[in-house]
Amino acid sequence: MEIQMYVRLPNPIADYVDAIARGDVDGMVQPFAADGVVVSDDGRRHQGRPAIRTWIQETSAAKGTVLTPDTLCHETSRIVVEGVKTGDFEGSPRRFVLAFELDGGAIKTMEAA
């Protein structure tokens, strides 16, 4: 499945979004730093690639999630991406907001806002 993006995302974020569209769990985990952190929309914190992989398998991969980003905003140290999220979950489609911090070529943190 090819995703249409309306904004140009930094490479690690674009790699993550593309992997979600393909349902590629390895591809979703790879853009994160080894000690990367995800704070999910339920407030849970997942640190390190093994914990992030488990979270992805329980959420995005299990629900056929696809993100279509349409807004990008650079804040002080964060990149905030907004768009439409679709998948096999209640309320689909709906808006999403993700805030990223990058470290070199990797995602250091991703927080569902």
Side-chain angles (χ1 to χ4, degrees):
M1 168 184 266
E2 185 175 324
I3 187 166
Q4 294 220 357
M5 284 192 234
Y6 301 106
V7 294
R8 175 131 173 99
L9 300 173
N11 286 341
I13 299 171
D15 293 345
Y16 173 72
V17 170
D18 287 342
I20 290 173
R22 295 190 313 273
D24 176 2
V25 173
D26 290 335
M28 288 182 239
V29 174
Q30 189 281 328
F32 286 89
D35 62 346
V37 173
V38 169
V39 179
S40 54
D41 53 4
D42 62 4
R44 291 177 35 213
R45 180 181 170 93
H46 314 274
Q47 184 165 8
R49 285 185 179 148
I52 292 170
R53 173 181 297 280
T54 299
W55 171 75
I56 287 169
Q57 289 171 324
E58 293 172 353
T59 57
S60 300
K63 297 178 181 175
T65 302
V66 174
L67 303 179
T68 305
D70 58 24
T71 306
L72 174 85
C73 177
H74 289 268
E75 293 182 352
T76 306
S77 63
R78 302 182 331 157
I79 299 167
V80 179
V81 178
E82 297 182 40
V84 177
K85 174 179 174 178
T86 59
D88 185 21
F89 56 85
E90 189 175 327
S92 177
R94 70 175 174 217
R95 297 286 299 168
F96 73 86
V97 179
L98 297 173
F100 294 89
E101 288 185 45
L102 303 181
D103 184 12
I107 299 171
K108 179 179 174 181
T109 63
M110 180 181 84
E111 182 174 353

